[in-house]
């Protein structure tokens, strides 16, 4: 198989952007920037995107990993937002059925709890209608007895019953990556580990590109663009400051933490949405062999690169779980891994972290720089559509006909993201279940692969499992498992390098696969053999191996609760 999204691709993208410029340059490779690049490329624009670290390194790998309609926002009266993101939920599920899975969620109702029985029933009913939820997934109200039958570990005292409804679980960093791969397929020029250090201006003070430092080669590139979009999430104001125009709205960043514990220590059947002692709601979500718990919501002024989970964050979340599951007795020693993310919210005077709107905001500076902040993972497609509409209007106003720009050449097409399957989501109109069945059979019969390996490949790569099979056809020596408890084939490592632009062991274990978060012990045991496999494929010498190992050790510390 030809490498299509590899390190070579990023070097070529940087060279191409430097030599010929682009119509639209996006700064930031989280879900927001990824969505914009995909949408713009599908419309026929010449679009480039640079990310300072790995793909989805910022907030987009550190969320609760739900594609959800935001029941909480209903309680805050944000009806339009609930309607919009509820509808988006269905669209994103259709575009990426391998990554967005329906999940039953139980909302227990307690005497004097944050949600009453009738208000919950009415709220969930309204939520279903606003979000256009299909009949089979609409809410059911359960009695106390059937709630306890489903979750016998719940606190009995004051329990009145529960609401059972459907939300969607995803993998945020893989979703971001699949959007980026789709953007690449549609013609976008993409480079990770390329940090924008400065913006470029024309003689009229209008922004006309950016200077980017390639952190892999140390080279600096001047990237010319007609329109620049700042989609840097928590860094939005840092880039706006470079542009010298912070008029209008500012960011208000808050930190949210998640913990994982073994499912044996918290054996729940459903995802749960529970009240903490301060009335805030937290999620408990089963995933593979762990349950993850989150989130907190506190004002944040620390390092945006490495927000950490502190002992106070851990204590808050464990207290909330122990209060609702009195038999659990979870302690910090039960925590296997943790992650902290920073919400790029828009400041509203007098409002605390949990009261701030999650709606996106688009700002345009005096120099013409667009910035986009706020929003949700769930709404990425719609956010992209709105800002690309503005960029297209700008380009059409600026570009005299007869120039070399795509906009000058022909009218850009209309937004096509609502019906273009994402990379990995092309299951041939069958639905994911039958597709999964057929691929399982092929994998077993033609390649002798076991259930564990096939399950992993389908869960992570969806319809791109076909590319992995093509690797096995071309080179049967790749049909070998790496030593260790994680079921990783050598072909998967090659896929990561050639089709997912993986350049580091830590990036693979944290953001490409989630193993470092959701199967941490197994990841630690498999890491030495995995390092060798990457070293062989990427030609790492002794010094690079040591650097890569250190990077993995640093990641293990970062994705762990800190005791400060
Ligand atoms: P980011 O993902 O942070 O991306 C910005 C990128 O810009 C970063 O990767 C950064 O490295 C890069 N960058 C910064 N400066 C530069 C530069 N100078 N040059 C190049 N690149 C640069 N939403 C949901 O829909 N569902 C949820 O369940 C959910 N849960 C959440 C839980 C928590 C704890 C948090 C914090 C958020 C949650 N969200 C959720 C919200 C969602 O995660 C965010 O809205 C979304 O990820 C923001 O994406 P982004 O692309 O705007 O920012």
């Amino acid at each position: 198989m030809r490498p299509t999204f590899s390190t070579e691709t990023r070097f070529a993208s940087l060279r191409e952007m430097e030599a010929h410029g682009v119509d639209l340059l996006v700064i930031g490779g989280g879900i927001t920037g990824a969505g914009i690049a995909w949408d713009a490329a599908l419309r026929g624009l010449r679009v480039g995107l640079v990310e300072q670290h790995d793909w989805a390194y910022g907030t987009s790998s550190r969320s609760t990993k739900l594609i959800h309609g935001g029941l909480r926002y209903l309680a805050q009266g944000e009806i339009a937002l609930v309607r919009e993101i509820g509808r988006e939920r269905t669209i994103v599920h259709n575009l990426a059925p391998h990554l967005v899975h329906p999940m039953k969620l139980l909302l227990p109702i307690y005497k004097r709890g944050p949600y009453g029985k009738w208000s919950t029933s009415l709220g969930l009913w309204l939520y279903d209608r606003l979000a256009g939820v299909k009949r089979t997934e609409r809410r059911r109200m359960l009695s106390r007895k059937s709630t306890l039958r489903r979750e016998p570990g719940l606190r009995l005292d004051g329990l009145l019953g529960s609401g059972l409804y459907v939300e969607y679980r995803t993998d945020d960093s893989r979703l971001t990556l699949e959007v980026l791969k789709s953007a690449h397929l549609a013609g976008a020029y993409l480079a990770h580990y390329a940090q924008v250090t400065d913006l470029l201006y024309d003689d009229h003070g209008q922004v006309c590109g950016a200077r980017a430092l390639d952190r892999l080669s140390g080279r600096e590139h001047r990237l010319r663009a007609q329109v620049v979009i700042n989609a840097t999430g928590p860094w939005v104001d840092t880039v706006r400051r470079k542009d010298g125009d912070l008029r209008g709205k500012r960011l208000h960043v808050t930190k949210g933490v998640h913990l994982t514990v073994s499912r044996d220590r918290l054996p729940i059947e459903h995802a749960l949405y529970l009240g903490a002692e301060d009335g805030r709601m937290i999620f408990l979500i089963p995933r593979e062999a762990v349950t993850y718990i989150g989130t907190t919501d506190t004002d944040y002024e620390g390092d945006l690169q490495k927000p950490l989970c502190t002992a106070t964050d851990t204590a808050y979340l464990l207290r909330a779980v122990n209060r609702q599951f009195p038999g659990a007795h979870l302690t910090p020693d039960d925590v296997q891994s943790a992650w902290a993310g920073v919400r790029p919210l828009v400041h509203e005077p007098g409002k605390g972290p949990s009261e701030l709107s999650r709606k996106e905001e688009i700002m345009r500076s005096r120099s013409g720089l667009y910035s986009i902040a706020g929003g949700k993972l769930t709404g990425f497609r719609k956010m992209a559509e709105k800002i690309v509409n503005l960029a297209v209007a700008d380009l059409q106003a600026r570009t005299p006909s007869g120039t070399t720009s795509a906009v000058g050449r022909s009218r850009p097409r209309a937004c096509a993201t609502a019906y273009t399957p994402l990379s990995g989501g092309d299951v041939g109109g069958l639905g994911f279940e039958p597709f999964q069945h057929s691929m399982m059979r092929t994998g077993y019969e033609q390649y002798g692969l076991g259930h564990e390996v096939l399950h992993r490949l389908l869960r992570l790569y969806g319809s791109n499992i076909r590319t992995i099979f093509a690797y096995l056809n071309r080179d049967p020596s790749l049909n070998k498992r790496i030593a260790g408890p994680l079921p990783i084939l050598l072909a998967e490592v090659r896929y990561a390098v050639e089709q997912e632009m993986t350049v580091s062991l830590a990036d693979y274990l944290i953001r490409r696969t989630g193993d470092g978060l959701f199967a941490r012990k197994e990841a630690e045991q498999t890491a030495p053999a995995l390092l060798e496999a990457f070293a062989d494929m990427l030609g790492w010498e002794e010094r690079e191996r040591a650097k890569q190992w250190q990077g993995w050790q640093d990641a293990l510390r970062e994705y762990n609760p800190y005791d400060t």
Side-chain angles (χ1 to χ4, degrees), residues 532-549:
E532 291 312 308
F534 274 109
D536 282 353
M537 263 174 223
L538 286 159
W540 292 340
E541 304 289 349
E542 214 39 59
R543 233 174 99 208
E544 182 61 22
R545 280 175 204 231
K547 194 173 132 205
Q548 290 285 338
W549 190 251

Side-chain angles (χ1 to χ4, degrees), residues 301-477:
E301 287 178 355
D303 183 1
L304 293 177
Q305 293 272 356
K306 282 197 184 349
L308 298 174
C309 166
T310 65
T312 314
D313 299 323
T314 306
Y316 172 86
L317 291 174
L318 294 185
R319 218 168 31 244
V321 177
N322 287 331
R323 178 169 168 268
Q324 296 289 8
F325 283 87
H329 303 296
L330 294 178
T331 74
D333 288 340
D334 290 308
V335 178
Q336 298 189 343
S337 62
W339 66 92
V342 179
R343 297 179 186 83
L345 303 177
V346 178
H347 182 70
E348 295 173 73
K351 287 204 176 171
S354 294
E355 297 159 335
L356 292 171
S357 170
R358 266 54 179 170
K359 206 175 152 6
E360 83 279 353
E361 196 73 43
I362 296 174
M363 294 154 280
R364 189 176 187 278
S365 77
R366 271 188 290 256
S367 76
L369 173 74
Y370 281 104
S371 295
I372 180 162
K376 306 272 301 164
L377 193 73
T378 310
F380 82 92
R381 199 201 61 82
K382 198 72 198 168
M383 283 167 70
E385 183 181 343
K386 288 178 192 169
I387 198 163
V388 176
N389 284 345
L390 294 174
V392 165
D394 244 33
L395 282 162
Q396 284 173 329
R398 280 186 208 186
T399 315
S401 56
T403 66
T404 53
S405 143
V407 178
R409 277 197 304 272
S410 59
R411 267 184 87 77
R413 295 183 283 274
C415 174
T417 52
Y419 51 83
T420 308
L422 280 167
S423 159
D426 187 5
V427 295
L430 283 174
F432 193 57
E433 289 287 309
F435 173 80
Q436 199 165 359
H437 257 72
S438 126
M439 289 296 122
M440 281 277 192
R441 203 170 51 238
T442 308
Y444 177 71
E445 287 173 1
Q446 290 189 22
Y447 305 101
L449 301 176
H451 178 84
E452 252 194 322
V453 168
L454 286 164
H455 173 70
R456 174 185 178 88
L457 295 177
L458 282 160
R459 173 174 62 83
L460 293 173
Y461 311 112
S463 60
N464 289 323
I465 193 172
R466 297 185 188 112
T467 309
I468 301 214
F469 289 165
Y471 276 127
L472 299 180
N473 284 339
R474 280 251 322 245
D475 182 355
S477 74

Side-chain angles (χ1 to χ4, degrees), residues 5 61 134 200 268 277 286 322 344 354 364 372 384 496 519 522:
F5 194 60
S61 55
K134 55 183 173 199
L200 303 174
I268 52 174
E277 63 200 343
N322 287 331
S354 294
R364 189 176 187 278
I372 180 162
E522 292 80 356

Side-chain angles (χ1 to χ4, degrees), residues 27-33 50-68 172 194-197 231-235 239 242 254-258 295-296 341-344 372 374-379 383:
I27 315 173
I31 192 69
T32 307
V50 282
E51 159 58 47
Q52 66 181 354
H53 205 285
D54 186 26
W55 301 125
Y57 177 77
T59 312
S60 299
S61 55
R62 300 157 188 266
S63 76
T64 309
K65 307 178 196 299
L66 293 179
I67 295 296
H68 64 147
D172 47 7
Q195 179 175 30
V196 164
T197 50
T232 55
W235 291 265
V239 174
K242 283 186 201 301
T254 75
K255 186 180 80 167
V257 160
H258 292 84
T295 175
T296 58
V342 179
R343 297 179 186 83
I372 180 162
K376 306 272 301 164
L377 193 73
T378 310
M383 283 167 70

